[in-house]
Amino acid sequence: MFSEKENQDDKIKELEVVAKELASAIETATARTDSLKADLFASISREAILRAQEVARAVRAEIVKYRGCLERVKEYLADQKRRGYPIPWEKLARHKTALWEYTDLLDNTDVAALDEDDLVLSSLPSSSQD
């Protein structure tokens, strides 16, 4: 009975050693997992920042392009008004509508909310119908 008790004590000690080793392995694995998660989140954050910067550059280019179109329309309308040439009412209304729409679009563009699909804008309606 005494040897049986010693046997059980030895097994208990072995199990305690194994439990400590498992606890240490779990702690190491948890630390490694936390480190990998942190690396992943940092990588995702860098990608998101780079993507946002790329989208912002593309949007700025589109804004410059359409702002130039709007300025040409404004100049055209101002020039026609100065010269006194009659502009057909329909054409004038179309230009003014396009001017208001694109001015409103540019004024309300939130660069942070844009996606790549938003970067493809149609041309001004007046450019294809003149």
Side-chain angles (χ1 to χ4, degrees):
M1 193 162 155
F2 182 71
S3 67
E4 204 174 291
K5 169 85 168 109
E6 281 183 356
N7 241 358
Q8 286 179 350
D9 287 345
D10 289 342
K11 286 183 181 181
I12 288 172
K13 286 179 184 177
E14 286 176 16
L15 289 175
E16 286 175 346
V17 168
V18 169
K20 285 180 184 178
E21 289 174 356
L22 286 174
S24 175
I26 289 171
E27 189 175 310
T28 302
T30 302
R32 179 71 177 140
T33 302
D34 291 343
S35 173
L36 289 173
K37 282 181 186 176
D39 291 347
L40 177 63
F41 288 130
S43 174
I44 289 170
S45 294
R46 281 191 299 273
E47 275 186 40
I49 290 168
L50 291 174
R51 181 162 161 53
Q53 289 172 342
E54 182 180 313
V55 169
R57 277 193 296 275
V59 167
R60 278 189 219 103
E62 288 294 317
I63 288 172
V64 167
K65 175 183 170 185
Y66 284 102
R67 191 161 278 148
C69 292
L70 292 174
E71 291 303 317
R72 285 193 300 275
V73 169
K74 285 179 184 177
E75 288 172 16
Y76 171 78
L77 293 173
D79 188 47
Q80 293 302 315
K81 192 174 186 178
R82 275 193 305 272
R83 290 183 184 189
Y85 294 121
I87 302 171
W89 182 86
E90 298 84 18
K91 190 173 187 180
L92 183 61
R94 191 173 66 243
H95 284 298
K96 285 184 178 181
T97 302
L99 178 64
W100 292 328
E101 287 175 1
Y102 284 104
T103 300
D104 188 52
L105 173 73
L106 291 173
D107 290 343
N108 293 318
T109 298
D110 182 9
V111 174
L114 291 175
D115 194 5
E116 282 186 25
D117 297 337
D118 297 325
L119 298 179
V120 180
L121 298 174
S122 62
S123 61
L124 289 172
S126 61
S127 65
S128 62
Q129 296 176 357
D130 283 340

